[in-house]
Amino acid sequence: MKIVYSDQHQQHDPQQFMVRGRLKRSNEQPERAALLLAAAQSAGHAVVSPDDHGSGPRAAIHTPQYLHFLETAWERWQQLPDASDEVMPNVYPFPGQPATYPDHLVGQAGYHMGDNACSIGRHTWHAAVHSAHVATHAAELLMAGERAVYALCRPPGHHAYPDRANGFCYLNNAAIAAQHLRQRYARVAVLDIDVHHGNGTQGVFWRRADVLTISLHADPHFCTPFFTGHAHERGEAEGLGYNLNIPLAKGTDTDGYLQTLTKALTTLRAYAPGALVVALGLDAHERDPYQALSVSTDGFARITTEIARLGLPTVLVQEGGYLSDDLGPNLASALHGFEAGC
Ligand SMILES: [Zn+2]
């Protein structure tokens, strides 16, 4: 399987991430991509560099106001008195209440940054842009005839909404790939197997029937993002019925996961998409630092084999999965399993 990768993410290294009131270095570190790349290469997969696909693909998903904010926020932040080296919000609009778009950068940060897990440093915009190029390039290779392509995206993207960063994500790579594939296919599906709900992707396609979004994830009753990912969220207007959330109980193992995946794949087959984007998180693993679900390393192969049996042209987009000795083997297992199911 071809792997698309760019080293332009490396200087994006967020130092501030708030967990239960404590600031620490982000879990979403450059070393993740180094481990993933090494594992994919040693499994024999060929690495391709992405072209510059311009601003069109990201502008097809994100608002001009948000893109301008992301591109300029760090430089503007440095001009504020006594500002930290990274942009971080500390004031937010209230849901359902009137909110005027603020002139002041501190207000804009709260408007466009949903939590304290998406700080913006000097190199964040550059890394996010190149991560989106990786996803776009993978979609292009698919449309040129590849059966499956793996996009090694960093930073990840599935939490990013059209106008809001959160959860280590800035530009929604999986949504960008799906939208790009719409040039060729009338219907595209996104299947998110990251341990966290793909809230941003749900938000992007919430009112649309041309992109089916399915997410299997740790139940938001006990796991972030808490506010979304519940089974009753089905989409709105034309999109009603085209969003499927499948929350899983804490500690669900590989067998339990596969039983639930069957339900997702039945929905996917009935939709009959022309192409598939898999938001490939590896953080459902039993030894991932998040400790929410208990999928084994071999379990990732069993999961991706079932997905490959759909027979669809597929882009696998890297999402979460955090530093542990298992991260590389988990990716190798997922890619091997997909090829075994083709
Ligand atoms: Zn995740």
Side-chain angles (χ1 to χ4, degrees), residues 158-159 194-196 283 320 322:
H158 73 144
H159 295 306
D194 187 278
V195 82
H196 301 105
D283 42 8
Y322 298 94

Short mmCIF file of all heavy atoms in Angstrom, two decimals, residues 158-159 194-196 283 320 322, ligand 1:
data_model
loop_
_atom_site.label_atom_id
_atom_site.label_comp_id
_atom_site.label_asym_id
_atom_site.label_seq_id
_atom_site.Cartn_x
_atom_site.Cartn_y
_atom_site.Cartn_z
N HIS A 158 -9.75 14.78 12.91
CA HIS A 158 -11.19 14.45 12.98
C HIS A 158 -11.98 15.23 14.03
O HIS A 158 -13.21 15.18 14.01
CB HIS A 158 -11.41 12.93 13.13
CG HIS A 158 -11.09 12.37 14.47
ND1 HIS A 158 -11.80 11.33 15.04
CD2 HIS A 158 -10.11 12.68 15.36
CE1 HIS A 158 -11.29 11.03 16.21
NE2 HIS A 158 -10.25 11.83 16.43
N HIS A 159 -11.31 15.94 14.92
CA HIS A 159 -12.04 16.78 15.88
C HIS A 159 -12.29 18.20 15.34
O HIS A 159 -13.01 18.97 15.99
CB HIS A 159 -11.30 16.86 17.21
CG HIS A 159 -11.21 15.55 17.94
ND1 HIS A 159 -12.34 14.80 18.24
CD2 HIS A 159 -10.16 14.85 18.43
CE1 HIS A 159 -11.96 13.69 18.87
NE2 HIS A 159 -10.65 13.70 19.00
N ASP A 194 -11.23 5.77 15.39
CA ASP A 194 -10.47 6.34 16.51
C ASP A 194 -11.28 6.10 17.80
O ASP A 194 -12.52 6.01 17.76
CB ASP A 194 -10.29 7.84 16.28
CG ASP A 194 -9.37 8.51 17.28
OD1 ASP A 194 -9.84 8.84 18.39
OD2 ASP A 194 -8.19 8.70 16.96
N VAL A 195 -10.60 6.03 18.94
CA VAL A 195 -11.32 5.74 20.19
C VAL A 195 -12.22 6.92 20.61
O VAL A 195 -13.14 6.74 21.40
CB VAL A 195 -10.34 5.36 21.32
CG1 VAL A 195 -9.72 6.60 21.98
CG2 VAL A 195 -11.03 4.49 22.36
N HIS A 196 -11.95 8.09 20.05
CA HIS A 196 -12.76 9.28 20.38
C HIS A 196 -13.76 9.57 19.27
O HIS A 196 -13.46 9.35 18.08
CB HIS A 196 -11.86 10.49 20.59
CG HIS A 196 -10.85 10.28 21.68
ND1 HIS A 196 -9.51 10.05 21.42
CD2 HIS A 196 -11.00 10.24 23.02
CE1 HIS A 196 -8.87 9.88 22.57
NE2 HIS A 196 -9.76 10.00 23.55
N ASP A 283 -5.92 4.51 18.98
CA ASP A 283 -5.98 4.71 20.43
C ASP A 283 -7.05 3.87 21.12
O ASP A 283 -7.25 4.00 22.32
CB ASP A 283 -6.13 6.20 20.79
CG ASP A 283 -7.11 6.94 19.90
OD1 ASP A 283 -7.80 6.28 19.09
OD2 ASP A 283 -7.19 8.18 20.02
N GLY A 320 -5.71 9.51 15.90
CA GLY A 320 -5.00 9.38 17.17
C GLY A 320 -4.21 8.08 17.27
O GLY A 320 -4.04 7.33 16.30
N TYR A 322 -1.29 7.04 20.59
CA TYR A 322 -0.28 7.85 21.29
C TYR A 322 0.92 7.01 21.68
O TYR A 322 0.94 5.80 21.48
CB TYR A 322 -0.97 8.59 22.45
CG TYR A 322 -2.00 9.50 21.83
CD1 TYR A 322 -3.32 9.09 21.68
CD2 TYR A 322 -1.61 10.68 21.21
CE1 TYR A 322 -4.23 9.87 20.99
CE2 TYR A 322 -2.52 11.46 20.52
CZ TYR A 322 -3.83 11.05 20.41
OH TYR A 322 -4.70 11.81 19.70
ZN ZN B 1 -8.49 9.71 19.57
#
